[in-house]
Amino acid sequence: MRKLLLSAASVGLIAAPAVAEVSDGKVKIGILNDQSGVYSDFGGKNSYEAALMAVEDFGGKVLDAPIEVVTADHQNKPDIASNIARQWYDNEQVDSIMELTTSSVGLAVQALSVEEKKVTINTGAATTELTGAQCSPYGFHWAYDTHALAVGTGGALVKEGGDSWFFLTADYAFGYSLEENTGNFVKGQGGTVVGSVRHPLASTDFSSFLLQAQASGAKVIGLANAGADTQNSIKQAAEFGITQGGQKLAALLFTLADVHGLGAEAAQGLNLTESFYWKRNAESEEFGRRFLERTGSMPNMVHAGTYSAVTSYLKAIEAAGTDETEAVAAKLHELPINDVFAQDGRVGANGRLIKDVYLMEVKAPADITEEWDYYNVLATIPGSEAFMDPAKSGCPLVTQ
């Protein structure tokens, strides 16, 4: 009998059990973002905390290997981000980099990660180029993008009669993408774009830009910026009486953290688009309150998206039985995404997570029942409408 078993095994009649493979004996995830600049509240250190929560909720191990999370501040500079990423990959055994607030950084690190054959999951960057012309077989775009923001906020304001637009745009890849996507959507709905002006990242004086927007006579001034830049734009617009003069401000990328930073009095009535709200259902509220207890802040879509990205990456490793990049990327494309952030989400062939997003309105202060209770959810926008069809994204990896 012993000889028969040995003989059978030698010719492959009895399969040896699959052995889980984890490189370096651990899974190491890097959270790389802005932790000291204009976007530090947008993602920042709270994205790192979201990643740690995801690891803890997963049990701290995958395939019996420990999970480690490291973080660094890229200062919104692609060269610094690329140097950190290369150091992580080449010398510190980092397996995947996530968050990557700032589109120029996201594009640079995603390109480097193709060379290094590593998975990136962008939750903080916005440009559709990440899953368009510059898509990657190992690159994923998770929380939101400029197309979803254009459909959500832009669509709402056009329906309200805001059919002429002037853009105040951050002068780098994110701003260009947000202006282009929103402008195309406005024009597709029969509206017009009367002009635009670009400002440097982390500006403090928006007066000349706002005066040009005011003089344009456009019904809507589209703020194609984010973080402290958007907050400062809104504050200074109030000083010029822009909304009192009848023009609307469109905060095209504005999150719960920004509303909190600006204050409900100044932000009331703004329409905005997010892919997560902590009060949307019981599950999201439970997660939000745990996050608040841990960080002192409620999560926005970047924080919740980072939690989901880390969780999904670990599930993909578990399903693949290895942390090898090709196998994990295949599982990320294959597995449905169901967690506190996404319900019945799916990943397109271009790496774009397709899920519902939400059109919000900031409540009047009198309607706020507790701190962080800032939004009325006006509409749920299905993922198939919010995000670009992968076949039309321009991603060369997508076969027709």
Side-chain angles (χ1 to χ4, degrees), residues 26 40 60 93 95 111 118 124 132 146 162 205 236 289 318 337:
K26 64 180 179 295
S40 56
Q93 295 80 51
D95 299 294
K118 300 285 188 178
T146 53
D205 184 1
Q236 292 174 37
R289 294 195 185 280
E318 189 172 61
I337 310 300

Side-chain angles (χ1 to χ4, degrees), residues 310-334:
V310 171
T311 300
S312 298
Y313 178 67
L314 297 174
K315 286 180 178 178
I317 291 173
E318 189 172 61
T322 176
D323 66 348
E324 191 274 326
T325 296
E326 298 260 5
V328 173
K331 287 298 180 183
L332 280 166
H333 279 282
E334 175 187 325

Side-chain angles (χ1 to χ4, degrees), residues 19-81:
V19 177
E21 297 180 3
V22 174
S23 59
D24 308 305
K26 64 180 179 295
V27 171
K28 196 169 183 179
I29 298 167
I31 302 299
L32 184 58
N33 62 9
D34 174 13
Q35 298 179 9
S36 57
V38 66
Y39 300 143
S40 56
D41 289 336
F42 180 75
K45 294 180 180 179
N46 281 351
S47 288
Y48 173 61
E49 291 297 329
L52 292 177
M53 282 180 69
V55 170
E56 291 163 13
D57 289 350
F58 202 82
K61 290 185 176 183
V62 60
L63 302 180
D64 291 325
I67 306 161
E68 184 179 346
V69 183
V70 295
T71 190
D73 182 355
H74 61 46
Q75 302 173 47
N76 295 310
K77 296 178 181 178
D79 57 338
I80 291 176

Side-chain angles (χ1 to χ4, degrees), residues 34 60 87 103 197 232-233 270 303 306 335 349 352 361 390:
D34 174 13
Q87 170 72 17
S103 292
V197 63
N232 288 330
S233 299
L270 281 175
H303 306 134
T306 300
L335 296 173
R352 173 69 256 172
E361 181 182 60

Side-chain angles (χ1 to χ4, degrees), residues 346-361:
R346 61 183 179 85
V347 176
N350 59 346
R352 173 69 256 172
L353 172 60
I354 299 170
K355 67 171 294 292
D356 294 347
V357 302
Y358 311 102
L359 177 65
M360 316 284 198
E361 181 182 60

